[in-house]
Amino acid sequence: MKHSSNPLILSSGRSGAESRVSKDPPKPVVVLVRPQLGQNIGKAARAMLNFGLTEMRLVAPRDGWPNPDAGPSASGADIVLEQAQVFATTEEAIADCSTVFASTVRRRDLVMPVVGPEEMASRIAGSGERSAILFGAERSGLETEEVALADAIVTVPINPEFASLNLAQAVILLAYEWSKSAELAQPTVKELEPPAPHGEVEGLIGQLDEELVAKGYFHPPSRTQATRNTIRTIFTKPGWSSREVKAVRGILRALVRPARDRSQG
Amino acid sequence: MKHSSNPLILSSGRSGAESRVSKDPPKPVVVLVRPQLGQNIGKAARAMLNFGLTEMRLVAPRDGWPNPDAGPSASGADIVLEQAQVFATTEEAIADCSTVFASTVRRRDLVMPVVGPEEMASRIAGSGERSAILFGAERSGLETEEVALADAIVTVPINPEFASLNLAQAVILLAYEWSKSAELAQPTVKELEPPAPHGEVEGLIGQLDEELVAKGYFHPPSRTQATRNTIRTIFTKPGWSSREVKAVRGILRALVRPARDRSQG
């Protein structure tokens, strides 16, 4: 069959655009920390669902929840909004997540791994465990203390002379990278012992903090928050398993008790 | 005298290709075909500049050009808007481009290559020639005849059950992929402190061991070696830096000292 001068041939049925959204490994949770406008929550939901992400968690949304402004901006991604869970604190929102990324563009006074979107995606795909990505408030982003809760910072490499990503754009770029990785994810070798959920690590850090307060470790007061951030990053870094977290908590108890020698007692 | 191969190109006397010291590969031109809202043109400009794209072309913008609604939405990406060129037809807008991609999510009855964003980016980078990416009107997208002008369709693989990318989002995803390819992206530097030499970790483990012995932690004696092994693996695992090892040793000293409150002393 001969075609016109237009070199394009009509065809039915062929499409190169296959969905790359796959089911396992677990999809990351998107955590919006102190979001301000309902509109932006809706836009973030829309961004997520475009790439198959459905689990949204809200930490202390400024205008409460549900928010009537969210729905219209979600352009149909209502299921994400309906299933959104609300938490009072970021710690609670990520308590069941083993790997947590903090999305930020600003430099932080924290020594933690900084990864790009692809590296984040491949770590999420590779972990086989529940993961979360934290996004800060529209204006201010994440507080340093919130970033310190994460295992790594994820930063979208951006024009250094014009860095102006809004919340939904940050969400869509990371969701997009995740979806690419999820498609490519091969059956992953699970670590022998997966990292403990963040709630357990927080328990350890809380215990340590109490003991250090009792010992007058935090001094001077002006440095206390920075010191706490450092301690958090130090003890989040190992990715200890539940068993290891328990062991460290036992060690901690032993260290602070009065000296005695059980083997002789 | 040599003339442009297409005399219909509107020229303000300085085309993007000539005015810029050419880096390789050339940055793709973003062509908005029949854009409707000035607001969306501004958002597209902002999306572009985030990833270093500066050359925008507008084909028959509905509300004319310049459009007072564009600036406020560009959030500072004014340079993109100021340099935007206007064309009457898509053909004219891409007349000087060697490689043209048509961004679309809908299936087309056209037999032409369909590529993903990464493949597009690598073709742009590889061509070394001027390239363009076409984006259609907000509501309707590109007409089939406009798609047919391109060398390939570029489609962002998306959730088949919820495909809802707006113009600026489509622009930002493709600009992002381009920037990765162009290695504009350098901030993916890992700022990790290198792990401390093993001797330092051993020093920490030795200190911990001493304190634990003093507290009678190792009990019963038959389990002592196994427990010591566990402790070694737990504290070797983090890969703490020298700074972090020092901090943990300081914490350890604080934990075992008699309780007191320095902040009050």
Side-chain angles (χ1 to χ4, degrees):
Chain A
M1 180 178 170
K2 181 110 171 127
H3 293 272
S4 69
S5 58
N6 187 330
L8 304 165
I9 302 162
L10 292 179
S11 152
S12 60
R14 187 182 155 223
S15 162
E18 306 278 352
S19 163
R20 292 186 179 177
V21 178
S22 93
K23 269 110 201 168
D24 47 309
K27 299 176 178 183
V29 176
V30 169
V31 183
L32 305 187
V33 181
R34 294 173 286 98
Q36 301 175 295
L37 296 176
Q39 218 182 49
N40 291 328
I41 300 173
K43 286 180 183 173
R46 175 186 181 182
M48 287 169 61
L49 196 55
N50 264 304
F51 295 102
L53 294 183
T54 51
E55 196 170 349
M56 174 184 269
R57 296 181 181 179
L58 304 173
V59 176
R62 187 190 67 186
D63 300 336
W65 191 256
N67 183 326
D69 293 340
S73 302
S75 302
D78 301 309
I79 191 172
V80 175
L81 298 177
E82 284 160 14
Q83 296 180 351
Q85 290 178 285
V86 180
F87 296 83
T89 67
T90 306
E91 285 89 336
E92 292 168 70
I94 61 173
D96 63 343
C97 300
S98 297
T99 313
V100 176
F101 295 87
S103 167
T104 165
V105 289
R106 285 181 301 154
R107 289 181 75 94
R108 302 289 178 161
D109 207 14
L110 290 171
V111 178
M112 322 174 35
V114 178
V115 302
E118 289 172 306
E119 173 68 15
M120 176 205 76
S122 101
R123 289 191 189 195
I124 288 174
S127 83
E129 301 294 323
R130 198 161 185 73
S131 59
I133 313 173
L134 305 178
F135 296 87
E138 290 94 323
R139 270 183 189 284
S140 49
L142 292 168
E143 299 293 332
T144 301
E145 295 71 41
E146 292 157 350
V147 175
L149 293 168
D151 299 282
I153 288 171
V154 56
T155 296
V156 179
I158 211 168
N159 182 355
E161 288 157 23
F162 184 80
S164 171
L165 282 187
N166 66 27
L167 176 59
Q169 289 171 333
V171 170
I172 207 167
L173 288 168
L174 296 184
Y176 163 72
E177 274 297 356
W178 169 78
S179 79
K180 288 201 298 179
S181 203
E183 184 219 27
L184 302 171
Q186 294 145 5
T188 55
V189 182
K190 285 202 179 186
E191 291 178 48
L192 256 69
E193 292 184 335
H198 265 247
E200 295 181 16
V201 178
E202 280 303 309
L204 163 63
I205 292 171
Q207 180 186 345
L208 178 61
D209 192 81
E210 259 178 50
E211 300 297 351
L212 289 174
V213 166
K215 301 290 187 176
Y217 176 77
F218 295 107
H219 186 83
S222 62
R223 291 285 307 154
T224 297
Q225 192 52 55
T227 304
R228 285 204 159 107
N229 289 343
T230 300
I231 289 174
R232 171 161 277 115
T233 59
I234 287 177
F235 287 91
T236 302
K237 182 176 184 179
W240 282 323
S241 67
S242 294
R243 184 187 58 83
E244 289 169 328
V245 168
K246 275 199 198 90
V248 174
R249 295 191 68 160
I251 288 171
L252 198 48
R253 278 192 303 276
L255 287 172
V256 297
R257 74 190 176 200
R260 64 189 169 116
D261 187 343
R262 286 181 60 177
S263 68
Q264 293 177 1
Chain B
M1 185 176 167
K2 189 158 176 165
H3 293 276
S4 164
S5 59
N6 187 333
L8 297 177
I9 298 175
L10 295 180
S11 173
S12 58
R14 84 186 251 275
S15 84
E18 291 158 0
S19 66
R20 208 166 291 120
V21 179
S22 78
K23 294 177 180 178
D24 35 326
K27 299 178 178 183
V29 176
V30 169
V31 183
L32 305 187
V33 180
R34 293 172 287 100
Q36 300 175 294
L37 296 176
Q39 220 180 47
N40 291 328
I41 299 173
K43 286 179 183 174
R46 175 185 181 183
M48 288 169 61
L49 195 54
N50 265 304
F51 295 102
L53 293 183
T54 51
E55 197 170 348
M56 174 184 268
R57 295 180 181 180
L58 304 172
V59 176
R62 187 189 67 184
D63 300 335
W65 192 256
N67 183 326
D69 293 341
S73 302
S75 302
D78 302 308
I79 191 172
V80 175
L81 298 176
E82 284 160 14
Q83 296 181 351
Q85 291 177 285
V86 181
F87 297 83
T89 67
T90 306
E91 286 88 335
E92 294 167 69
I94 60 173
D96 62 344
C97 299
S98 300
T99 314
V100 177
F101 296 87
S103 168
T104 166
V105 290
R106 286 182 302 154
R107 283 176 172 243
R108 303 288 178 162
D109 281 337
L110 292 170
V111 175
M112 41 191 301
V114 178
V115 301
E118 289 171 306
E119 173 68 15
M120 177 204 76
S122 99
R123 289 190 188 196
I124 288 174
S127 82
E129 302 294 325
R130 198 162 186 71
S131 59
I133 314 173
L134 306 178
F135 296 87
E138 290 94 324
R139 272 185 188 282
S140 50
L142 292 167
E143 299 294 333
T144 302
E145 298 69 40
E146 291 158 349
V147 175
L149 293 169
D151 298 284
I153 287 173
V154 58
T155 295
V156 178
I158 211 167
N159 182 354
E161 288 157 23
F162 183 81
S164 170
L165 282 187
N166 65 26
L167 176 60
Q169 288 171 333
V171 169
I172 207 167
L173 289 168
L174 297 184
Y176 163 73
E177 275 295 359
W178 170 78
S179 80
K180 287 202 296 181
S181 230
E183 286 176 353
L184 166 117
Q186 53 212 8
T188 316
V189 181
K190 303 197 178 170
E191 299 176 38
L192 271 177
E193 295 177 343
H198 265 248
E200 294 180 16
V201 179
E202 281 304 311
L204 163 64
I205 293 171
Q207 180 187 345
L208 179 60
D209 193 82
E210 260 178 47
E211 299 298 349
L212 288 173
V213 167
K215 301 289 187 175
Y217 176 78
F218 295 108
H219 185 81
S222 62
R223 293 283 309 151
T224 298
Q225 191 52 53
T227 305
R228 284 204 158 105
N229 290 343
T230 300
I231 289 174
R232 171 164 276 110
T233 59
I234 286 176
F235 286 90
T236 303
K237 183 175 183 178
W240 281 324
S241 67
S242 295
R243 185 187 58 83
E244 290 169 329
V245 168
K246 276 201 198 88
V248 174
R249 295 191 68 162
I251 287 171
L252 198 48
R253 278 192 304 276
L255 287 171
V256 298
R257 73 189 176 202
R260 67 193 166 110
D261 188 345
R262 286 181 58 178
S263 67
Q264 292 176 1

